[in-house]
Amino acid sequence: MATTELNFKVEHVEESAVTKVDWENLVFGKTFTDHMLVMDYADGAWEQPQILPFQSILMHPAMSSIHYGQSIFEGLKAYRQMDGKVAVFRPDMNAKRFNESAERMCMPQIPEHLFVEMVRKIVEIDQAWVSGIEGHSLYIRPFMFATDHWVGIKPSDTYKFMILLSPVGTYYSELVRVKIESYYTRAAVGGVGRAKAAGNYGASLYPAKFAQANGYHQLVWTDAKEHKFIEESGTMNILFQINDTLITPSEEEDTILRGVTKRSILEIAAHWGINVQERKISVEEIIHAANSGVLQDAFGAGTAASLAQIALIGYKGIDYMLPPVETRTISNRLKTYLTDVKIGAVEDELGWNLLV
Ligand SMILES: *Cc1c(COP(=O)(O)O)cnc(C)c1O
């Protein structure tokens, strides 16, 4: 690091806009807090991080990330604790994943402790935006993009890292309807599916549009080669419960985004003594389990929606209904625990919260 790592330049807004927020009608990702963090990379080093009033950024029309997509992001959340404090959920995991994404996209690394400290610092400054309303949180969006002014294909020499904060309410208000995709592909082996790279999401919009037109919320992605194996659901990881066992696709191949929410669910489930398996899961196995009445549950896991239970799974024109949500004791328990630990309603026994 060229500069003192934990030395931030902070320019505060004159007057906070927090009093103007319409808390009851928040749309995910549309409202931003008073400040944002900006840190530039040039000459092989990160410059001093700056926290500035939220504002637009000026860009050169040849800025390389627009043309060639060297652009990655993260997503995590801060929660208001029962005792009034504010905590960020597992930012170290996002710091690590951010660097893995950066490596895959030929972008510079950010020391993990610096990433975590930048997240902590900006949340501390805008902590008035972390609402204590049930189901609300502060979504944290760190991202990095290439900024060279050059329409030439090569890794950029300059980058911008930023953090935006957005107060959010509950993501899904109903159970999720998903459709198993058997033509389009999210990620292929050897591709960039494991990275939170911007282009992955642009590419998923078109197939998702068809599913939405047919009344589904999200697609369940399958492997690129044969569309036989389950990968994940939209921008969530996916878990199933067959009899008493929780199963989720293994992360061995580089097509699945390694989610913090899923990892947390697996860790706590294992801690509770629930049988957990990370392995290949075929579409056939799931359809067979649904038909024979042993598919007890299916749910998505991701920061935005937390744990999102699935109402039905569509495949080749048939909708397979899942059991009523009241009967899903494992996911109900996991969902409650996840919320409780994030808001400090139960002891943080696995040390997941970072108090700001
Ligand atoms: C971000 C993301 C997830 C969920 O990861 P979390 O760390 O739990 O938020 C899952 N799948 C994809 C494709 C994602 O982009």
Side-chain angles (χ1 to χ4, degrees):
M1 299 296 295
T3 51
T4 348
E5 291 186 4
L6 306 180
N7 183 12
F8 292 76
K9 188 185 146 218
V10 183
E11 190 187 317
H12 287 276
V13 289
E14 279 170 22
E15 199 188 331
S16 174
V18 73
T19 52
K20 301 188 193 115
V21 177
D22 180 3
W23 293 100
E24 298 309 322
N25 298 299
L26 287 174
V27 178
F28 187 91
K30 273 207 172 171
T31 306
F32 296 98
T33 63
D34 294 325
H35 300 94
M36 63 186 197
L37 183 142
V38 186
M39 178 172 77
D40 291 314
Y41 182 90
D43 302 321
W46 287 106
E47 293 169 4
Q48 186 187 37
Q50 305 184 51
I51 291 174
L52 303 171
F54 192 94
Q55 58 195 274
S56 295
I57 52 173
L58 196 64
M59 55 185 159
H60 191 280
M63 184 171 79
S64 52
S65 53
I66 310 176
H67 297 269
Y68 304 123
Q70 261 191 307
S71 178
I72 60 170
F73 68 98
E74 266 305 325
L76 63 164
K77 280 179 172 177
Y79 298 84
R80 180 69 64 185
Q81 307 280 286
M82 304 271 280
D83 63 5
K85 290 179 187 150
V86 170
V88 182
F89 189 71
R90 310 193 78 175
D92 52 316
M93 300 276 280
N94 300 86
K96 193 161 155 270
R97 186 171 69 192
F98 190 75
N99 280 337
E100 287 163 3
S101 298
E103 183 178 17
R104 180 62 182 83
M105 298 301 289
C106 288
M107 300 168 87
Q109 305 277 306
I110 294 179
E112 283 174 33
H113 70 280
L114 175 61
F115 181 100
V116 171
E117 177 55 14
M118 288 190 287
V119 166
R120 194 203 63 76
K121 182 76 180 179
I122 185 150
V123 172
E124 182 182 40
I125 287 176
D126 277 342
Q127 60 180 289
W129 293 78
V130 189
S131 143
I133 302 173
E134 196 183 334
H136 283 222
S137 56
L138 185 67
Y139 184 75
I140 305 166
R141 167 52 62 88
F143 57 110
M144 182 196 340
F145 54 97
T147 53
D148 276 7
H149 302 171
W150 190 38
V151 184
I153 303 190
K154 71 165 206 37
S156 178
D157 289 324
T158 61
Y159 295 87
K160 199 179 275 296
F161 172 78
M162 299 184 65
I163 303 177
L164 307 181
L165 303 175
S166 173
V168 296
T170 18
Y171 199 72
Y172 285 115
S173 48
E174 51 181 345
L175 294 194
V176 190
R177 295 184 299 275
V178 300
K179 189 196 123 189
I180 297 177
E181 178 59 54
S182 39
Y183 176 73
Y184 293 101
T185 296
R186 189 191 90 88
V189 174
V192 292
R194 183 177 281 173
K196 244 175 151 67
N200 285 342
Y201 304 85
S204 73
L205 299 175
Y206 183 73
K209 202 171 70 173
F210 298 119
Q212 281 151 12
N214 289 314
Y216 300 98
H217 294 102
Q218 280 202 356
L219 288 174
V220 174
W221 299 107
T222 48
D223 71 285
K225 216 168 158 188
E226 303 176 284
H227 300 288
K228 275 191 180 163
F229 295 95
I230 307 267
E231 303 231 302
E232 46 185 316
S233 176
T235 55
M236 294 190 291
N237 294 120
I238 193 163
L239 298 94
F240 301 91
Q241 183 191 333
I242 295 182
N243 294 318
D244 291 332
T245 302
L246 272 188
I247 57 171
T248 190
S250 71
E251 298 170 341
E252 270 156 47
E253 281 171 348
D254 52 7
T255 54
I256 294 179
L257 201 289
R258 296 194 273 199
V260 177
T261 316
K262 175 187 73 175
R263 186 56 48 208
S264 305
I265 286 171
L266 296 179
E267 285 171 10
I268 199 66
H271 185 67
W272 288 343
I274 293 168
N275 191 13
V276 168
Q277 292 176 359
E278 292 185 76
R279 59 168 172 84
K280 263 184 161 346
I281 302 169
S282 68
V283 175
E284 203 187 294
E285 178 182 0
I286 295 304
I287 299 303
H288 181 74
N291 279 334
S292 49
V294 295
L295 184 64
Q296 310 294 352
D297 202 351
F299 52 95
T303 295
S306 186
L307 190 161
Q309 287 154 322
I310 292 171
L312 61 88
I313 302 175
Y315 184 58
K316 299 206 165 143
I318 300 173
D319 283 340
Y320 297 86
M321 305 299 296
L322 284 143
V325 79
E326 315 81 69
T327 66
R328 307 194 201 177
T329 40
I330 294 182
S331 68
N332 287 335
R333 184 177 173 208
L334 284 164
K335 190 176 176 173
T336 304
Y337 180 84
L338 266 187
T339 306
D340 285 352
V341 81
K342 288 168 178 177
I343 65 168
V346 292
E347 191 204 336
D348 179 17
E349 55 186 328
L350 300 179
W352 287 341
N353 287 325
L354 174 80
L355 288 173
V356 306

